[in-house]
Amino acid sequence: MSINWLILFIGGLFETGFAVSLGKAQETSGKSQALWLASFAVCVAISMYLLFKAMGGEKAIPVGTAYAVWGAIGALGTVVAGILLFNEPITLWRLFFIGTLVMSVVGLQLVSGA
């Protein structure tokens, strides 16, 4: 795995961070809400920067592949966080479709040539 794939993975985790921050901001008010919104802004900035970095350099990941994988990592992380932090339901169909998402990400990495 190249450094760009690692950068992209970390960027996807920060995407999860900004989604979780928005969810937590919805549950709070006042100073706590402001801190969650600040967390959102920081996570968005870091996530976008890491996506940008993964698409450049010697082992650049093609933009279509990078964006799809970044979004999928963020989506997967957000679903898991929703289950753990927001008591969202765990159903067979949710697990099935998350599994297909993971398989798609692995497939894109295998065929990207990066």
Side-chain angles (χ1 to χ4, degrees):
M1 175 185 286
S2 74
I3 188 71
N4 286 30
W5 282 103
L6 180 61
I7 290 169
L8 186 63
F9 179 78
I10 295 168
L13 294 178
F14 275 97
E15 184 186 2
T16 298
F18 76 69
V20 168
S21 295
L22 283 178
K24 290 300 225 178
Q26 289 292 322
E27 296 180 347
T28 60
S29 62
K31 184 177 180 180
S32 182
Q33 185 178 54
L35 290 173
W36 281 112
L37 291 172
S39 170
F40 163 77
V42 169
C43 287
V44 166
I46 293 170
S47 181
M48 293 293 173
Y49 177 74
L50 293 175
L51 173 62
F52 167 77
K53 291 299 286 181
M55 294 187 301
E58 190 176 308
K59 300 269 188 172
I61 301 170
V63 65
T65 301
Y67 185 78
V69 171
W70 172 82
I73 292 167
L76 174 63
T78 302
V79 168
V80 171
I83 291 167
L84 297 175
L85 301 174
F86 301 108
N87 298 317
E88 293 178 1
I90 303 171
T91 65
L92 177 63
W93 285 114
R94 284 186 93 184
L95 295 176
F96 171 77
F97 287 114
I98 289 299
T100 61
L101 184 61
V102 170
M103 289 187 303
S104 297
V105 168
V106 170
L108 280 172
Q109 184 180 6
L110 292 174
V111 302
S112 73

